[in-house]
PDB file of all heavy atoms in Angstrom:
ATOM      1  N   GLU Q 429     -15.857  28.326 167.879  1.00  0.00           N
ATOM      2  CA  GLU Q 429     -16.913  28.474 168.878  1.00  0.00           C
ATOM      3  C   GLU Q 429     -17.039  29.917 169.338  1.00  0.00           C
ATOM      4  O   GLU Q 429     -18.147  30.423 169.546  1.00  0.00           O
ATOM      5  CB  GLU Q 429     -16.634  27.565 170.076  1.00  0.00           C
ATOM      6  CG  GLU Q 429     -16.813  26.081 169.806  1.00  0.00           C
ATOM      7  CD  GLU Q 429     -18.268  25.668 169.672  1.00  0.00           C
ATOM      8  OE1 GLU Q 429     -19.161  26.523 169.895  1.00  0.00           O
ATOM      9  OE2 GLU Q 429     -18.515  24.490 169.335  1.00  0.00           O
ATOM     10  N   THR Q 430     -15.912  30.591 169.491  1.00  0.00           N
ATOM     11  CA  THR Q 430     -15.950  31.990 169.930  1.00  0.00           C
ATOM     12  C   THR Q 430     -16.631  32.873 168.890  1.00  0.00           C
ATOM     13  O   THR Q 430     -17.460  33.728 169.219  1.00  0.00           O
ATOM     14  CB  THR Q 430     -14.531  32.504 170.210  1.00  0.00           C
ATOM     15  OG1 THR Q 430     -13.937  31.715 171.245  1.00  0.00           O
ATOM     16  CG2 THR Q 430     -14.559  33.965 170.645  1.00  0.00           C
ATOM     17  N   THR Q 431     -16.280  32.667 167.613  1.00  0.00           N
ATOM     18  CA  THR Q 431     -16.916  33.450 166.557  1.00  0.00           C
ATOM     19  C   THR Q 431     -18.416  33.179 166.522  1.00  0.00           C
ATOM     20  O   THR Q 431     -19.223  34.112 166.418  1.00  0.00           O
ATOM     21  CB  THR Q 431     -16.296  33.124 165.185  1.00  0.00           C
ATOM     22  OG1 THR Q 431     -14.913  33.480 165.191  1.00  0.00           O
ATOM     23  CG2 THR Q 431     -17.001  33.900 164.071  1.00  0.00           C
ATOM     24  N   ALA Q 432     -18.802  31.913 166.615  1.00  0.00           N
ATOM     25  CA  ALA Q 432     -20.228  31.572 166.613  1.00  0.00           C
ATOM     26  C   ALA Q 432     -20.945  32.243 167.773  1.00  0.00           C
ATOM     27  O   ALA Q 432     -22.068  32.747 167.618  1.00  0.00           O
ATOM     28  CB  ALA Q 432     -20.403  30.059 166.669  1.00  0.00           C
ATOM     29  N   GLN Q 433     -20.304  32.271 168.928  1.00  0.00           N
ATOM     30  CA  GLN Q 433     -20.915  32.914 170.094  1.00  0.00           C
ATOM     31  C   GLN Q 433     -21.061  34.419 169.880  1.00  0.00           C
ATOM     32  O   GLN Q 433     -22.080  35.012 170.264  1.00  0.00           O
ATOM     33  CB  GLN Q 433     -20.066  32.641 171.336  1.00  0.00           C
ATOM     34  CG  GLN Q 433     -20.671  33.153 172.634  1.00  0.00           C
ATOM     35  CD  GLN Q 433     -22.033  32.570 172.935  1.00  0.00           C
ATOM     36  OE1 GLN Q 433     -22.293  31.394 172.650  1.00  0.00           O
ATOM     37  NE2 GLN Q 433     -22.932  33.375 173.486  1.00  0.00           N
ATOM     38  N   LEU Q 434     -20.085  35.046 169.258  1.00  0.00           N
ATOM     39  CA  LEU Q 434     -20.173  36.479 168.971  1.00  0.00           C
ATOM     40  C   LEU Q 434     -21.348  36.768 168.038  1.00  0.00           C
ATOM     41  O   LEU Q 434     -22.063  37.773 168.213  1.00  0.00           O
ATOM     42  CB  LEU Q 434     -18.872  36.968 168.336  1.00  0.00           C
ATOM     43  CG  LEU Q 434     -17.656  37.037 169.266  1.00  0.00           C
ATOM     44  CD1 LEU Q 434     -16.381  37.302 168.455  1.00  0.00           C
ATOM     45  CD2 LEU Q 434     -17.849  38.130 170.316  1.00  0.00           C
ATOM     46  N   VAL Q 435     -21.563  35.903 167.064  1.00  0.00           N
ATOM     47  CA  VAL Q 435     -22.695  36.059 166.157  1.00  0.00           C
ATOM     48  C   VAL Q 435     -24.012  35.927 166.922  1.00  0.00           C
ATOM     49  O   VAL Q 435     -24.945  36.728 166.743  1.00  0.00           O
ATOM     50  CB  VAL Q 435     -22.628  35.032 165.013  1.00  0.00           C
ATOM     51  CG1 VAL Q 435     -23.928  35.011 164.213  1.00  0.00           C
ATOM     52  CG2 VAL Q 435     -21.452  35.332 164.094  1.00  0.00           C
ATOM     53  N   LYS Q 436     -24.088  34.940 167.797  1.00  0.00           N
ATOM     54  CA  LYS Q 436     -25.307  34.723 168.572  1.00  0.00           C
ATOM     55  C   LYS Q 436     -25.585  35.888 169.518  1.00  0.00           C
ATOM     56  O   LYS Q 436     -26.746  36.275 169.726  1.00  0.00           O
ATOM     57  CB  LYS Q 436     -25.201  33.413 169.343  1.00  0.00           C
ATOM     58  CG  LYS Q 436     -25.180  32.173 168.460  1.00  0.00           C
ATOM     59  CD  LYS Q 436     -24.910  30.902 169.258  1.00  0.00           C
ATOM     60  CE  LYS Q 436     -24.809  29.687 168.358  1.00  0.00           C
ATOM     61  NZ  LYS Q 436     -24.477  28.445 169.112  1.00  0.00           N
ATOM     62  N   GLU Q 437     -24.518  36.439 170.089  1.00  0.00           N
ATOM     63  CA  GLU Q 437     -24.686  37.553 171.023  1.00  0.00           C
ATOM     64  C   GLU Q 437     -25.268  38.790 170.360  1.00  0.00           C
ATOM     65  O   GLU Q 437     -25.898  39.625 171.016  1.00  0.00           O
ATOM     66  CB  GLU Q 437     -23.346  37.892 171.674  1.00  0.00           C
ATOM     67  CG  GLU Q 437     -22.898  36.853 172.698  1.00  0.00           C
ATOM     68  CD  GLU Q 437     -21.508  37.117 173.230  1.00  0.00           C
ATOM     69  OE1 GLU Q 437     -20.866  38.108 172.782  1.00  0.00           O
ATOM     70  OE2 GLU Q 437     -21.043  36.327 174.084  1.00  0.00           O
ATOM     71  N   GLN Q 438     -25.065  38.922 169.038  1.00  0.00           N
ATOM     72  CA  GLN Q 438     -25.650  40.062 168.333  1.00  0.00           C
ATOM     73  C   GLN Q 438     -27.007  39.706 167.724  1.00  0.00           C
ATOM     74  O   GLN Q 438     -27.547  40.460 166.912  1.00  0.00           O
ATOM     75  CB  GLN Q 438     -24.688  40.588 167.262  1.00  0.00           C
ATOM     76  CG  GLN Q 438     -24.451  39.644 166.096  1.00  0.00           C
ATOM     77  CD  GLN Q 438     -23.466  40.196 165.064  1.00  0.00           C
ATOM     78  OE1 GLN Q 438     -22.496  40.868 165.421  1.00  0.00           O
ATOM     79  NE2 GLN Q 438     -23.724  39.943 163.793  1.00  0.00           N
ATOM     80  N   GLY Q 439     -27.550  38.553 168.110  1.00  0.00           N
ATOM     81  CA  GLY Q 439     -28.895  38.175 167.684  1.00  0.00           C
ATOM     82  C   GLY Q 439     -28.966  37.288 166.465  1.00  0.00           C
ATOM     83  O   GLY Q 439     -30.060  37.019 165.953  1.00  0.00           O
ATOM     84  N   GLY Q 440     -27.823  36.785 165.982  1.00  0.00           N
ATOM     85  CA  GLY Q 440     -27.807  35.963 164.783  1.00  0.00           C
ATOM     86  C   GLY Q 440     -27.799  34.476 165.082  1.00  0.00           C
ATOM     87  O   GLY Q 440     -27.763  34.053 166.238  1.00  0.00           O
ATOM     88  N   GLU Q 441     -27.822  33.683 164.016  1.00  0.00           N
ATOM     89  CA  GLU Q 441     -27.746  32.231 164.122  1.00  0.00           C
ATOM     90  C   GLU Q 441     -26.414  31.763 163.552  1.00  0.00           C
ATOM     91  O   GLU Q 441     -26.015  32.196 162.457  1.00  0.00           O
ATOM     92  CB  GLU Q 441     -28.887  31.569 163.353  1.00  0.00           C
ATOM     93  CG  GLU Q 441     -30.274  31.849 163.924  1.00  0.00           C
ATOM     94  CD  GLU Q 441     -31.346  31.066 163.201  1.00  0.00           C
ATOM     95  OE1 GLU Q 441     -31.209  29.838 163.060  1.00  0.00           O
ATOM     96  OE2 GLU Q 441     -32.325  31.696 162.744  1.00  0.00           O
ATOM     97  N   ALA Q 442     -25.748  30.880 164.275  1.00  0.00           N
ATOM     98  CA  ALA Q 442     -24.434  30.412 163.830  1.00  0.00           C
ATOM     99  C   ALA Q 442     -24.200  28.986 164.271  1.00  0.00           C
ATOM    100  O   ALA Q 442     -24.698  28.545 165.319  1.00  0.00           O
ATOM    101  CB  ALA Q 442     -23.330  31.313 164.381  1.00  0.00           C
ATOM    102  N   LEU Q 443     -23.434  28.268 163.473  1.00  0.00           N
ATOM    103  CA  LEU Q 443     -23.025  26.900 163.745  1.00  0.00           C
ATOM    104  C   LEU Q 443     -21.514  26.839 163.663  1.00  0.00           C
ATOM    105  O   LEU Q 443     -20.927  27.222 162.647  1.00  0.00           O
ATOM    106  CB  LEU Q 443     -23.646  25.950 162.711  1.00  0.00           C
ATOM    107  CG  LEU Q 443     -23.158  24.498 162.703  1.00  0.00           C
ATOM    108  CD1 LEU Q 443     -23.599  23.781 163.974  1.00  0.00           C
ATOM    109  CD2 LEU Q 443     -23.665  23.773 161.455  1.00  0.00           C
ATOM    110  N   ALA Q 444     -20.856  26.384 164.729  1.00  0.00           N
ATOM    111  CA  ALA Q 444     -19.401  26.242 164.732  1.00  0.00           C
ATOM    112  C   ALA Q 444     -19.020  24.851 164.241  1.00  0.00           C
ATOM    113  O   ALA Q 444     -19.542  23.846 164.731  1.00  0.00           O
ATOM    114  CB  ALA Q 444     -18.841  26.475 166.125  1.00  0.00           C
TER     115      ALA Q 444
END
Side-chain angles (χ1 to χ4, degrees):
E429 289 287 354
T430 300
T431 298
Q433 185 59 36
L434 289 170
V435 169
K436 293 173 183 177
E437 287 174 359
Q438 67 181 36
E441 294 185 52
L443 171 68

